[in-house]
Structures are given as structure tokens and as C-alpha cells.
Amino acid sequence: MGMNRRTLIPAKTGARRPTLAKKPPLGQSINHQFKNSQRPFQWPPTPKKKIQTTSFPQVLQPPPYFPYKSAFLQACLSASVLIFGTFTLKSGRQSPYFFNAGLFHEADLLHDISIAFAQTLISHISLNPTFSFDILFGPAYKGVPLATAVALGLRELDPQRFRKVQYSFNRKEIKDHGDGGAIVGAPLKGKKVVIVDDVITAGTAMREAVEIIRGQGGILVGVMVALDRMERMRDDGGGSAIGEVKRQYGVPVLSIVDLNDLIGTLGGTVKKEDVRRVEEYKRRYGASD
């Protein structure tokens, strides 16, 4: 039995010599003949692109969901910071849930909210590498411990970057003796400032905080809250308080969680009736923005 020298396949006597495919001209593609393949064969082969990895804070695409949101909501439930029932708000609306960040008064719980706030801010920076800030500002009174705790949370998560982050807060009554003034902590003049608070309801407290910051020569670059209720300010329609802050001051407003996170995460944790009432409340009072 003879051997076909070019194919190394035994050749039968009298068999027709196999026709070898000619190498296609450079740059010309022919269809790949392998079964179930839809990709064209390219000659010469296209060199594989080298995958470029990016380090923090650059991220090409945000993850679909941040795990810290779920951990934060579970901490809120365990401490009764987030409760369900019927609650009358300042607006007169009957809300099926109530969020009170003032109950984060234990060391473990304060640590939980500080890490959640810090991760929220770091996630924003990773998606917006040009974003920067100098000072965390906590409006009196609930914002005071929050801004302080977030500064510690940032340093814990990324000490190299945030070891020099500063915080400050305002006095409700201006002090006319001692060090005096309306601000405690880092001076705001010429500094980029992020406001940290629990929620934005009507936006009144936020406007007051912005006036204080600007009055001290600070530059507002962002706002961060624990919960975005995602409800409109007026019963006849329109946007939310957070949306109004974004439009009025042209800065990002971040939240650890929003109403969608609450509904999506707690479905298997709280009573179905509570989730249903929250969904109904959102349909009735949900903001257009």
C-alpha cells in the first residue's frame, strides 16, 4: 500500500489523488468547513488581542448588583431601622414602611452603615474616575455621626487613598466664644464637599446645608444618603426631592439603597403582604424621575 507523501494518509491503488486546497490570497476569507461553526476562517490568522486589565478605580462596566446593598438592608431589619406597618409622614401620606437611621447607635450597626456608605462612594468613583472630593459634610444633627463614620469606613476599605479624608459639620447655634464659628471640623473654603445624610424628604434641610457650605466658600460636588424613597414631592405628579437636588445643583446624588432595592431584596425576608403594600405605595406615589 502506497502512502500519499503530502497527506500521510494511506492511498488506495487507483484512487483519485485528493485535491489540496490552495492557500487563499492574503486578506481573503473563506468559509470555515468545521461542523457547527459559523465563524469565517481568515488567512492569515488574525492575531489575538492582548487583554488589557485595569486597576481600581477604573471599571469598564458596573456589576448588575452590589452585594453590600443586601447586607445593609439586613442590618436595617435586624436593628428595626427599617420597619413595616402604617406610618404618617410629614407630607400626610400613609407610608407602609419607615426608615430611621438614628437607630444606628450601636458600634456594630454604625460600622455597618459606615461601610455601606463608603462602598457606595467608592463604587461611584470607580465608574466616574474624574470624580473627587476633599471633605464629607454632615448636616446637624443626624448627619454628624454619619459623616464621621463614613470617613472611618473609607479609610478602612482603602487606607492608601482615603487616609487623609476630612469631615466637618455645622452648629445649629453659632458659637461666639472659644474657637467660635458655625463649622466644626475641617474648614470648607476652597474644598470639594460631599454631603452625607440619612434621607432627603422635602429637600429643605439639604438646601440649608448647601447654603452653609457655599457661605463658607466650599464647593458642593455630591450628596449621599442612606435611602432614596423614589417618591414624588407633590401629589399631582412630578419628580422626587432627590431629582430636584440633582437638577438644582447639578451634582450626583448617591444612595446606599433605593425603593427598588428594598422591594427586590426583601421579597423572601419580610411578609409578602408588606412587600405588596410597598409596591402599591410606589405605584401611587412613585416619582417620574
mmCIF file of all heavy atoms in Angstrom, residues 3 6 17 21-22 29 36 40 49 55 66 76 96 103-104 106 116 127 136 138 154 159 190 208 211 220 240 268 289:
data_model
loop_
_atom_site.group_PDB
_atom_site.id
_atom_site.type_symbol
_atom_site.label_atom_id
_atom_site.label_comp_id
_atom_site.label_asym_id
_atom_site.label_seq_id
_atom_site.Cartn_x
_atom_site.Cartn_y
_atom_site.Cartn_z
ATOM 1 N N MET A 3 1.796 5.390 0.161
ATOM 2 C CA MET A 3 1.456 6.478 1.077
ATOM 3 C C MET A 3 1.467 7.803 0.310
ATOM 4 O O MET A 3 2.332 8.038 -0.524
ATOM 5 C CB MET A 3 2.476 6.565 2.219
ATOM 6 C CG MET A 3 2.513 5.346 3.121
ATOM 7 S SD MET A 3 1.028 5.208 4.117
ATOM 8 C CE MET A 3 1.275 6.583 5.191
ATOM 9 N N ARG A 6 2.127 13.835 0.887
ATOM 10 C CA ARG A 6 1.724 15.161 1.369
ATOM 11 C C ARG A 6 0.647 15.101 2.432
ATOM 12 O O ARG A 6 0.517 15.992 3.244
ATOM 13 C CB ARG A 6 1.235 16.006 0.199
ATOM 14 C CG ARG A 6 2.324 16.237 -0.842
ATOM 15 C CD ARG A 6 1.864 17.209 -1.875
ATOM 16 N NE ARG A 6 1.659 18.539 -1.281
ATOM 17 C CZ ARG A 6 1.189 19.570 -1.964
ATOM 18 N NH1 ARG A 6 0.860 19.423 -3.245
ATOM 19 N NH2 ARG A 6 1.031 20.741 -1.391
ATOM 20 N N ARG A 17 -6.340 10.978 -6.731
ATOM 21 C CA ARG A 17 -5.486 11.725 -5.823
ATOM 22 C C ARG A 17 -6.270 12.902 -5.241
ATOM 23 O O ARG A 17 -6.904 13.662 -5.989
ATOM 24 C CB ARG A 17 -4.269 12.251 -6.584
ATOM 25 C CG ARG A 17 -3.261 12.961 -5.662
ATOM 26 C CD ARG A 17 -2.017 13.299 -6.455
ATOM 27 N NE ARG A 17 -1.053 13.945 -5.613
ATOM 28 C CZ ARG A 17 0.160 14.310 -6.016
ATOM 29 N NH1 ARG A 17 0.520 14.062 -7.284
ATOM 30 N NH2 ARG A 17 1.004 14.896 -5.201
ATOM 31 N N ALA A 21 -6.358 21.954 -0.965
ATOM 32 C CA ALA A 21 -6.859 23.323 -1.053
ATOM 33 C C ALA A 21 -5.700 24.286 -1.160
ATOM 34 O O ALA A 21 -4.676 24.133 -0.515
ATOM 35 C CB ALA A 21 -7.696 23.654 0.195
ATOM 36 N N LYS A 22 -5.876 25.246 -2.033
ATOM 37 C CA LYS A 22 -4.849 26.254 -2.185
ATOM 38 C C LYS A 22 -4.962 27.296 -1.076
ATOM 39 O O LYS A 22 -6.035 27.621 -0.626
ATOM 40 C CB LYS A 22 -4.999 26.946 -3.539
ATOM 41 C CG LYS A 22 -4.769 26.033 -4.722
ATOM 42 C CD LYS A 22 -4.909 26.806 -6.018
ATOM 43 C CE LYS A 22 -4.681 25.900 -7.230
ATOM 44 N NZ LYS A 22 -4.808 26.638 -8.493
ATOM 45 N N SER A 29 -10.935 35.862 2.919
ATOM 46 C CA SER A 29 -11.512 34.877 3.809
ATOM 47 C C SER A 29 -12.252 33.808 3.035
ATOM 48 O O SER A 29 -12.796 34.065 1.995
ATOM 49 C CB SER A 29 -12.481 35.454 4.775
ATOM 50 O OG SER A 29 -12.654 36.688 4.736
ATOM 51 N N ASN A 36 -20.811 22.853 12.600
ATOM 52 C CA ASN A 36 -21.414 23.704 13.618
ATOM 53 C C ASN A 36 -20.664 25.010 13.834
ATOM 54 O O ASN A 36 -20.847 25.685 14.830
ATOM 55 C CB ASN A 36 -21.527 22.971 14.964
ATOM 56 C CG ASN A 36 -22.414 21.763 14.873
ATOM 57 O OD1 ASN A 36 -23.372 21.753 14.089
ATOM 58 N ND2 ASN A 36 -22.100 20.736 15.641
ATOM 59 N N PRO A 40 -16.091 32.691 10.134
ATOM 60 C CA PRO A 40 -15.293 32.557 8.916
ATOM 61 C C PRO A 40 -13.830 32.308 9.238
ATOM 62 O O PRO A 40 -13.330 32.750 10.264
ATOM 63 C CB PRO A 40 -15.480 33.912 8.231
ATOM 64 C CG PRO A 40 -15.759 34.850 9.345
ATOM 65 C CD PRO A 40 -16.524 34.064 10.369
ATOM 66 N N LYS A 49 -5.982 39.678 20.338
ATOM 67 C CA LYS A 49 -5.750 40.938 21.015
ATOM 68 C C LYS A 49 -5.359 40.690 22.466
ATOM 69 O O LYS A 49 -5.946 39.848 23.150
ATOM 70 C CB LYS A 49 -7.010 41.801 20.972
ATOM 71 C CG LYS A 49 -7.378 42.256 19.573
ATOM 72 C CD LYS A 49 -8.602 43.148 19.626
ATOM 73 C CE LYS A 49 -8.982 43.628 18.237
ATOM 74 N NZ LYS A 49 -10.180 44.495 18.266
ATOM 75 N N SER A 55 -6.846 48.621 36.760
ATOM 76 C CA SER A 55 -6.861 48.557 38.208
ATOM 77 C C SER A 55 -7.824 49.593 38.751
ATOM 78 O O SER A 55 -8.244 50.502 38.050
ATOM 79 C CB SER A 55 -5.455 48.813 38.760
ATOM 80 O OG SER A 55 -4.979 50.059 38.302
ATOM 81 N N PHE A 66 -24.866 45.326 43.667
ATOM 82 C CA PHE A 66 -23.800 45.412 44.647
ATOM 83 C C PHE A 66 -24.213 44.636 45.900
ATOM 84 O O PHE A 66 -25.222 44.970 46.530
ATOM 85 C CB PHE A 66 -23.521 46.866 44.988
ATOM 86 C CG PHE A 66 -23.025 47.667 43.817
ATOM 87 C CD1 PHE A 66 -23.880 48.508 43.110
ATOM 88 C CD2 PHE A 66 -21.702 47.579 43.421
ATOM 89 C CE1 PHE A 66 -23.415 49.244 42.032
ATOM 90 C CE2 PHE A 66 -21.232 48.316 42.343
ATOM 91 C CZ PHE A 66 -22.089 49.150 41.652
ATOM 92 N N CYS A 76 -30.415 46.761 58.639
ATOM 93 C CA CYS A 76 -31.517 47.665 58.957
ATOM 94 C C CYS A 76 -32.696 46.918 59.565
ATOM 95 O O CYS A 76 -33.337 47.389 60.513
ATOM 96 C CB CYS A 76 -31.965 48.410 57.699
ATOM 97 S SG CYS A 76 -30.781 49.619 57.086
ATOM 98 N N PRO A 96 -46.241 52.584 54.106
ATOM 99 C CA PRO A 96 -46.229 51.216 54.635
ATOM 100 C C PRO A 96 -44.874 50.816 55.240
ATOM 101 O O PRO A 96 -44.718 49.697 55.707
ATOM 102 C CB PRO A 96 -46.543 50.367 53.397
ATOM 103 C CG PRO A 96 -45.961 51.156 52.276
ATOM 104 C CD PRO A 96 -46.148 52.607 52.633
ATOM 105 N N LEU A 103 -31.363 55.143 64.609
ATOM 106 C CA LEU A 103 -31.243 53.947 65.444
ATOM 107 C C LEU A 103 -29.925 53.206 65.248
ATOM 108 O O LEU A 103 -29.687 52.185 65.899
ATOM 109 C CB LEU A 103 -32.415 52.997 65.166
ATOM 110 C CG LEU A 103 -33.796 53.533 65.561
ATOM 111 C CD1 LEU A 103 -34.882 52.509 65.234
ATOM 112 C CD2 LEU A 103 -33.841 53.888 67.041
ATOM 113 N N PHE A 104 -29.058 53.708 64.382
ATOM 114 C CA PHE A 104 -27.727 53.118 64.247
ATOM 115 C C PHE A 104 -26.826 53.668 65.357
ATOM 116 O O PHE A 104 -25.830 54.336 65.110
ATOM 117 C CB PHE A 104 -27.129 53.455 62.870
ATOM 118 C CG PHE A 104 -27.600 52.575 61.757
ATOM 119 C CD1 PHE A 104 -28.678 52.953 60.974
ATOM 120 C CD2 PHE A 104 -26.971 51.367 61.496
ATOM 121 C CE1 PHE A 104 -29.116 52.136 59.948
ATOM 122 C CE2 PHE A 104 -27.407 50.548 60.463
ATOM 123 C CZ PHE A 104 -28.485 50.936 59.688
ATOM 124 N N GLU A 106 -25.452 51.720 67.897
ATOM 125 C CA GLU A 106 -24.519 50.737 68.453
ATOM 126 C C GLU A 106 -23.296 50.649 67.549
ATOM 127 O O GLU A 106 -23.378 50.889 66.341
ATOM 128 C CB GLU A 106 -25.185 49.364 68.562
ATOM 129 C CG GLU A 106 -26.316 49.307 69.573
ATOM 130 C CD GLU A 106 -26.918 47.919 69.661
ATOM 131 O OE1 GLU A 106 -26.428 47.012 68.939
ATOM 132 O OE2 GLU A 106 -27.869 47.742 70.429
ATOM 133 N N ALA A 116 -21.240 50.601 54.298
ATOM 134 C CA ALA A 116 -22.176 50.673 53.169
ATOM 135 C C ALA A 116 -22.073 52.035 52.470
ATOM 136 O O ALA A 116 -22.061 52.106 51.233
ATOM 137 C CB ALA A 116 -23.603 50.437 53.650
ATOM 138 N N LEU A 127 -16.722 54.151 38.754
ATOM 139 C CA LEU A 127 -17.428 54.345 37.495
ATOM 140 C C LEU A 127 -17.245 55.751 36.927
ATOM 141 O O LEU A 127 -17.552 55.993 35.758
ATOM 142 C CB LEU A 127 -18.924 54.067 37.688
ATOM 143 C CG LEU A 127 -19.288 52.644 38.125
ATOM 144 C CD1 LEU A 127 -20.772 52.551 38.421
ATOM 145 C CD2 LEU A 127 -18.892 51.638 37.072
ATOM 146 N N LEU A 136 -16.164 65.334 53.783
ATOM 147 C CA LEU A 136 -17.513 64.819 54.000
ATOM 148 C C LEU A 136 -18.200 65.752 54.992
ATOM 149 O O LEU A 136 -17.688 65.989 56.089
ATOM 150 C CB LEU A 136 -17.463 63.395 54.557
ATOM 151 C CG LEU A 136 -16.801 62.347 53.666
ATOM 152 C CD1 LEU A 136 -16.557 61.063 54.450
ATOM 153 C CD2 LEU A 136 -17.636 62.065 52.432
ATOM 154 N N GLY A 138 -21.527 66.614 57.321
ATOM 155 C CA GLY A 138 -22.720 66.065 57.945
ATOM 156 C C GLY A 138 -23.607 67.158 58.504
ATOM 157 O O GLY A 138 -23.238 67.813 59.490
ATOM 158 N N LEU A 154 -14.241 54.725 54.846
ATOM 159 C CA LEU A 154 -13.413 54.881 53.657
ATOM 160 C C LEU A 154 -11.964 54.506 53.939
ATOM 161 O O LEU A 154 -11.319 53.820 53.139
ATOM 162 C CB LEU A 154 -13.483 56.330 53.159
ATOM 163 C CG LEU A 154 -14.785 56.743 52.474
ATOM 164 C CD1 LEU A 154 -14.835 58.257 52.300
ATOM 165 C CD2 LEU A 154 -14.947 56.039 51.131
ATOM 166 N N PRO A 159 -7.135 52.444 52.767
ATOM 167 C CA PRO A 159 -6.327 53.368 53.566
ATOM 168 C C PRO A 159 -5.334 54.181 52.758
ATOM 169 O O PRO A 159 -5.003 55.303 53.133
ATOM 170 C CB PRO A 159 -5.615 52.429 54.563
ATOM 171 C CG PRO A 159 -5.650 51.081 53.927
ATOM 172 C CD PRO A 159 -6.909 51.039 53.143
ATOM 173 N N GLY A 190 -12.717 76.643 49.668
ATOM 174 C CA GLY A 190 -11.943 76.134 48.543
ATOM 175 C C GLY A 190 -11.909 74.623 48.421
ATOM 176 O O GLY A 190 -11.197 74.088 47.562
ATOM 177 N N GLU A 208 -30.566 74.050 53.080
ATOM 178 C CA GLU A 208 -29.884 74.749 54.168
ATOM 179 C C GLU A 208 -28.419 74.335 54.245
ATOM 180 O O GLU A 208 -27.533 75.187 54.445
ATOM 181 C CB GLU A 208 -30.588 74.453 55.497
ATOM 182 C CG GLU A 208 -31.978 75.050 55.603
ATOM 183 C CD GLU A 208 -32.677 74.640 56.886
ATOM 184 O OE1 GLU A 208 -32.105 73.816 57.639
ATOM 185 O OE2 GLU A 208 -33.792 75.141 57.153
ATOM 186 N N GLU A 211 -26.452 75.982 51.442
ATOM 187 C CA GLU A 211 -26.216 77.400 51.732
ATOM 188 C C GLU A 211 -25.065 77.575 52.721
ATOM 189 O O GLU A 211 -24.244 78.492 52.587
ATOM 190 C CB GLU A 211 -27.497 78.030 52.281
ATOM 191 C CG GLU A 211 -28.610 78.178 51.251
ATOM 192 C CD GLU A 211 -29.893 78.727 51.858
ATOM 193 O OE1 GLU A 211 -29.882 79.031 53.077
ATOM 194 O OE2 GLU A 211 -30.889 78.849 51.126
ATOM 195 N N LEU A 220 -19.773 72.361 46.469
ATOM 196 C CA LEU A 220 -20.566 71.131 46.529
ATOM 197 C C LEU A 220 -20.319 70.290 45.284
ATOM 198 O O LEU A 220 -20.498 70.764 44.163
ATOM 199 C CB LEU A 220 -22.053 71.466 46.637
ATOM 200 C CG LEU A 220 -22.996 70.267 46.714
ATOM 201 C CD1 LEU A 220 -22.813 69.524 48.026
ATOM 202 C CD2 LEU A 220 -24.454 70.719 46.554
ATOM 203 N N SER A 240 -38.954 63.664 42.226
ATOM 204 C CA SER A 240 -38.651 63.408 43.634
ATOM 205 C C SER A 240 -37.793 64.529 44.204
ATOM 206 O O SER A 240 -37.261 65.384 43.473
ATOM 207 C CB SER A 240 -37.905 62.080 43.765
ATOM 208 O OG SER A 240 -36.641 62.166 43.120
ATOM 209 N N GLY A 268 -38.023 37.765 49.966
ATOM 210 C CA GLY A 268 -38.017 36.493 50.679
ATOM 211 C C GLY A 268 -37.730 36.628 52.158
ATOM 212 O O GLY A 268 -37.558 35.633 52.853
ATOM 213 N N ASP A 289 -39.044 60.850 37.844
ATOM 214 C CA ASP A 289 -37.610 60.801 37.523
ATOM 215 C C ASP A 289 -36.947 59.611 38.195
ATOM 216 O O ASP A 289 -35.744 59.506 38.205
ATOM 217 C CB ASP A 289 -36.912 62.102 37.955
ATOM 218 C CG ASP A 289 -37.166 62.450 39.419
ATOM 219 O OD1 ASP A 289 -37.724 61.615 40.157
ATOM 220 O OD2 ASP A 289 -36.836 63.583 39.828
#
